Each structure stands twice: as structure tokens, then as C-alpha cells.
Amino acid sequence: MENLTRQINTILSKELQALIYFLGRCSQRGSYKIYAVGGFVRDLLLGRENNDIDLVVDGSAVDFARSVLEIMPGTLRCYERFGTATLTLPRGTVFDMVTARKEFYAAPGALPTVEQSTLRNDLFRRDFTINTMACALNPLEFGKFYNFFGGLKDLREGIIRVLYKLSFIDDPLRIIRAIRFEQRFGFRIEKESFSLLKKAIENRAWEKISKERLYKEVRLVFREPKPSKVLARFAELNMFKNIFPRLTFSRELKNRLERLEQLLAEILIEKTFTNWSYSVLFLSALFYDLSEHDVRYFCYLMRLKRKERQNLLYVWENLPIVLPQLKNRMTGASNLYFLLEKMPEEGLLLAMVLDPDLLVREGIYYFCKHLLNKKPSITGKDLLKAGLEPGPIYNKILTKLHEAVLEGKISGRREEMEFVNMFLKG
Ligand code: CTP
């Protein structure tokens, strides 16, 4: 294979093609050479579009990114010290740019120091051969395919192979990445690479990296098509207990995650749930049976953000109480609303996973589709305008009003006003 222009023109959306050709023309203006590399090229060869595009820039990545922004609107984050820039262009396409470089690892797990160098050198320092292919984007050699390290053959044969012996030691996160790719693509880790990986696990290589970096990588597992398979593989390789101490990857837990994956496949199509995060959802499922002390410990260990921690703990604390009530056929609309009102979407989803009873599912869908946005139009301001003295009575009236609206007893502003007047009279 010599050129990837055909793949670019057939596999990528028109918008992405336009952006790529545009960047190519920008590079020519400034005499830069730019190459798409890594996952973008790998996925292109697999017939998939990847909207996170890694670019190697021969010249300065930071200067090139700035020159693009002179012509096209977007946002830019530069890390001058590392010679890298992240450019986000319209429609959320992200270009991660690095200056063609050689990386010297001062100490295992330390951040790389940077020196100008060539495309080949840059690619040699990467994780697996399947991620070392490149494609030129300059108009003069647009689409030219670079395959220095046998990546194409490995991709065709479904093999994950490191480029050099110390790869997992230089960057222990690659242990997790290797397993993610293995499970995502159904590939196998090549024999020598696999023994290097196992040795790195035995030597607890990841203890050298910060918890932030480790758990940032772990969170990516939850975005995989089948997180349960990746976690099962962690368990098989004796890593699970290091990443999630105090948690056992039981058959039951695996089943739960599989049911969750199945549910996600459904809800991602129908769009009832739009306000949830993969991390909170999967962590809620993983930690559901742990003690409060252990859940809090994980929140700290994984450096969860405040909102994530709050949601996770809310689900953990309240779902065991809410779940049995969801199965009560006598729960009326307003009770159902107040039962689920504060439950994060992750909790609603987990409820359906934990209890396959149809009543649970129906209750949750009824809540989301018919109750969640069913609110009275009258607010506290209207009560104030009507001359009602502010106080605890406001809450009482508005709750009663909300209940009546949820139950379908009244609708429309006029009926709501009548309801308030009746309530005040007696
Ligand atoms: N890379 C690496 N070592 C790492 C992380 C990344 O060598 N620990 C390199 C790989 O060449 C990878 C590229 O940087 O292709 C971009 O990283 P990332 O965007 O995380 O990887 P993708 O391969 O695009 O992964 P995904 O498909 O999960 O987005």
C-alpha cells in the first residue's frame, strides 16, 4: 500500500475530509510537513472514522497550530515545553499535534523531554506497531503511506506488538492500552510482547506513575465497547486487584456489567438518557456491593471530581431504597416523580440492570418521558405577585400544585391558579 487517499475519500465524512485537506493547505503555506499518525491511520485502515486525529508536525507544532487559527475559528491549547498543541476545530474534531521528536525517558514513568527529530523517530517511541503508521497530509505528497515498523502486517493479522523491550517500563499505561486494544479489536498480543507485559505486571510497573494518570487510563476502559471483557482480562492477568483493591471480579459482577453493556447498546440509540457519564455509571455498578467506607476510599483513590463523587454516592446510598419501591404497582405518578427526582441518570440505568423486572423499567421510562418535565407553570414569583406573604407556605403550595399537575388533576395556568386559591381558602 502506497497511498491512503482513496480511504480518506471514501471512509471519512465529507466534513472531516474538508478539514484534513484544509490543514494540508495550511501546512504548505508555512512550509511545514504534517502527518496523520496513530489511531487515526489504524482506524482508517480498519474502515473506521476516528475524530481524534494525531498529527506529527515537522517544524513546530505550536506555531503550525497558531497559523491554522489565523484562518479558521477554533480553540487551541499549547504546551510549549513539550512542543505539543491541541486544536479543536468546528464540529468538535480534535487535532493533537506534536513536534516531530525523539523522546528520552529520564526515569521510568517520567514525562518525556523533547528534541526536534524526524517522523520515524517519533513513531518508534510509540506503543504498538499498529499505531505507528502515518499518512502525509501536505498537498504535494497527500495520502502517502508510511509503514516503518510492519504495522500494516500486524494490523492485518490482528497482532499487538511493542516496538522495543522497555516499552511497558517506559510507559506502564501501555499495559492497560494493550489489553484495551486486544479486547476492542479481538486481536492477540504477540508472544514476546505478552511476556514483557506479564513481567511488567509482576514487577508492578504502574506503581511508578501517578494515580491521576493511572486512573485516567482506567476510565478509558469504560468507553470501550465491552468494558466487562477488558476487566475480565485484568482479573485473569492478576491486575484487577491492584487497580481496584478490595474489589473482587466475581462472575456475578461480570454478568452485571454485561447486562449494563446490553442496556447501553439500546439506550444509545433511543436517546431518552442524555445526562450520564461512563465512569460514574460503570463505577456505580462495580462498587454497588461495597461498604460506604470502601466506596469513599475509591472516590479518593481514583481522584473523582466532586460531582462524580456526589452522584456515585447518591446512587450507592439511595438505589437500594428506591429499587423495591419501583416494583410497587400502587406507586402513583407523583410518588414516582418524588422517588426518582434526585436520582442521577446513572442510578436509573443501574436500577434496570440490577432488577430486570418490567415494572422497574416501565416506571423509569414513564418518569423520564412523562413526568420529568411535567411542572406547574406557576412559580413562587406568581405567588408573590398575588400578594401572598413569603414563608414555608410557599413550599407547601408549590409541592401540592406539582403533585396535582403530575397526577393530571389540573392542567394549564387558569386551573393552577384556581387550585392555589382553593388551597388558600381551605
Ligand atoms: N501513544 C503511545 N503511548 C501511550 C499513549 C499513546 O504511544 N501511552 C501513542 C499511540 O501511537 C497512539 C497515539 O499516541 O496511537 C494517540 O494516543 P490516543 O489518542 O490515546 O490513542 P488511539 O490509538 O487513538 O486510541 P483510541 O482509539 O483509544 O482513541
Side-chain angles (χ1 to χ4, degrees):
M1 181 152 341
E2 306 236 306
N3 195 292
L4 298 181
T5 306
R6 186 181 57 80
Q7 284 83 345
I8 289 177
N9 291 345
T10 53
I11 292 162
L12 304 183
S13 65
K14 288 281 172 260
E15 290 88 352
L16 188 52
Q17 285 178 39
L19 278 181
I20 283 175
Y21 280 99
F22 165 75
L23 281 190
R25 286 195 301 277
C26 289
S27 70
Q28 194 181 24
R29 259 178 22 130
S31 317
Y32 298 96
K33 281 195 168 167
I34 61 167
Y35 307 88
V37 299
F40 172 79
V41 180
R42 176 199 70 215
D43 287 351
L44 192 62
L45 288 161
L46 289 172
R48 308 174 186 201
E49 174 166 313
N50 184 333
N51 268 292
D52 286 339
I53 302 168
D54 293 299
L55 293 181
V56 169
V57 181
D58 203 345
S60 157
V62 172
D63 292 347
F64 172 63
R66 287 198 177 122
S67 74
V68 174
L69 269 197
E70 284 168 16
I71 316 177
M72 162 131 344
T75 55
L76 178 62
R77 273 173 36 200
C78 294
Y79 306 90
E80 309 246 8
R81 200 178 131 213
F82 300 108
T84 63
T86 300
L87 182 64
T88 308
L89 291 183
R91 300 174 61 91
T93 309
V94 180
F95 291 90
D96 271 315
M97 306 189 185
V98 300
T99 304
R101 64 189 175 173
K102 208 182 230 166
E103 290 177 359
F104 299 105
Y105 288 84
L111 291 168
T113 51
V114 179
E115 183 184 275
Q116 289 265 15
S117 187
T118 61
L119 175 67
R120 191 180 190 283
N121 277 331
D122 185 283
L123 294 172
F124 180 69
R125 286 293 170 188
R126 289 177 182 254
D127 51 3
F128 312 115
T129 56
I130 56 167
N131 288 336
T132 59
M133 294 172 279
C135 169
L137 299 184
N138 303 66
L140 285 179
E141 55 166 13
F142 189 86
K144 185 170 177 193
F145 179 53
Y146 291 88
N147 180 28
F148 298 112
F149 307 106
L152 185 61
K153 183 164 182 286
D154 284 347
L155 188 69
R156 285 190 170 143
E157 291 174 9
I159 290 174
I160 294 159
R161 185 197 307 270
V162 288
L163 283 106
Y164 57 100
K165 281 205 158 111
L166 288 178
S167 188
F168 290 121
I169 307 295
D170 277 352
D171 184 351
L173 296 179
R174 290 175 179 171
I175 301 168
I176 296 175
R177 288 175 65 84
I179 296 169
R180 277 206 291 125
F181 292 133
E182 177 196 53
Q183 296 305 317
R184 182 194 306 172
F185 298 126
F187 284 7
R188 76 185 159 79
I189 304 173
E190 177 272 335
K191 203 166 155 226
E192 199 191 340
S193 301
F194 191 58
S195 66
L196 292 168
L197 177 138
K198 281 202 295 196
K199 210 175 265 166
I201 294 172
E202 271 166 36
N203 295 334
R204 296 166 156 267
W206 57 80
E207 285 183 357
K208 297 185 200 95
I209 45 182
S210 68
K211 294 279 178 280
E212 278 82 2
R213 291 186 68 214
L214 173 65
Y215 285 104
K216 199 169 163 214
E217 191 68 39
V218 168
R219 280 163 179 254
L220 295 179
V221 171
F222 305 134
R223 314 277 319 217
E224 291 294 326
K226 294 273 173 352
S228 63
K229 284 184 157 194
V230 181
L231 296 174
R233 192 75 165 125
F234 285 173
E236 205 176 285
L237 293 168
N238 242 343
M239 285 165 68
F240 191 83
K241 65 177 183 347
N242 295 102
I243 296 173
F244 297 112
R246 308 180 195 181
L247 183 61
T248 312
F249 192 69
S250 61
R251 183 70 238 170
E252 192 196 337
L253 194 50
K254 182 155 190 268
N255 287 341
R256 181 185 296 167
L257 296 179
E258 283 168 354
R259 289 201 304 275
L260 178 54
E261 287 158 14
Q262 230 172 343
L263 178 70
L264 284 187
E266 291 168 37
I267 67 137
L268 286 172
I269 299 170
E270 44 100 343
K271 301 212 163 58
T272 304
F273 302 90
T274 51
N275 188 24
W276 53 275
S277 87
Y278 282 90
S279 292
V280 173
L281 181 56
F282 276 90
L283 293 177
S284 300
L286 281 170
F287 300 159
Y288 193 69
D289 303 316
L290 295 181
S291 67
E292 180 174 354
H293 178 271
D294 285 351
V295 177
R296 286 188 185 277
Y297 164 71
F298 274 119
C299 291
Y300 162 75
L301 185 71
M302 299 189 71
R303 310 293 193 260
L304 296 196
K305 294 187 206 98
R306 198 164 61 101
K307 189 76 198 146
E308 293 177 321
R309 193 177 63 230
Q310 279 171 352
N311 284 351
L312 183 66
L313 283 162
Y314 189 94
V315 173
W316 178 86
E317 196 176 334
N318 293 286
L319 197 53
I321 304 161
V322 166
L323 204 46
Q325 294 186 57
L326 272 175
K327 296 208 291 188
N328 183 352
R329 275 181 193 282
M330 305 313 284
T331 308
S334 64
N335 285 338
L336 184 64
Y337 177 89
F338 291 113
L339 188 64
L340 298 179
E341 183 194 10
K342 296 204 178 77
M343 182 62 74
E345 280 194 0
E346 290 89 348
L348 300 179
L349 293 168
L350 185 59
M352 294 189 271
V353 169
L354 294 174
D355 196 329
D357 192 325
L358 214 58
L359 279 173
V360 171
R361 197 182 171 102
E362 283 169 1
I364 288 173
Y365 270 85
Y366 190 76
F367 167 74
C368 293
K369 285 189 188 293
H370 303 290
L371 303 181
L372 195 54
N373 297 316
K374 205 172 178 185
K375 301 217 161 96
S377 60
I378 287 180
T379 64
K381 268 193 198 145
D382 297 303
L383 300 183
L384 199 64
K385 259 196 221 158
L388 189 69
E389 179 104 10
I393 185 82
Y394 270 49
N395 199 16
K396 228 177 185 175
I397 296 175
L398 292 172
T399 306
K400 283 280 169 217
L401 185 65
H402 195 175
E403 273 173 22
V405 170
L406 286 167
E407 301 285 347
K409 289 180 184 152
I410 52 171
S411 92
R413 209 174 159 78
R414 198 175 52 81
E415 284 185 27
E416 285 179 24
M417 220 51 213
E418 280 170 16
F419 181 89
V420 173
N421 288 333
M422 291 243 301
F423 184 87
L424 288 173
K425 274 185 204 146

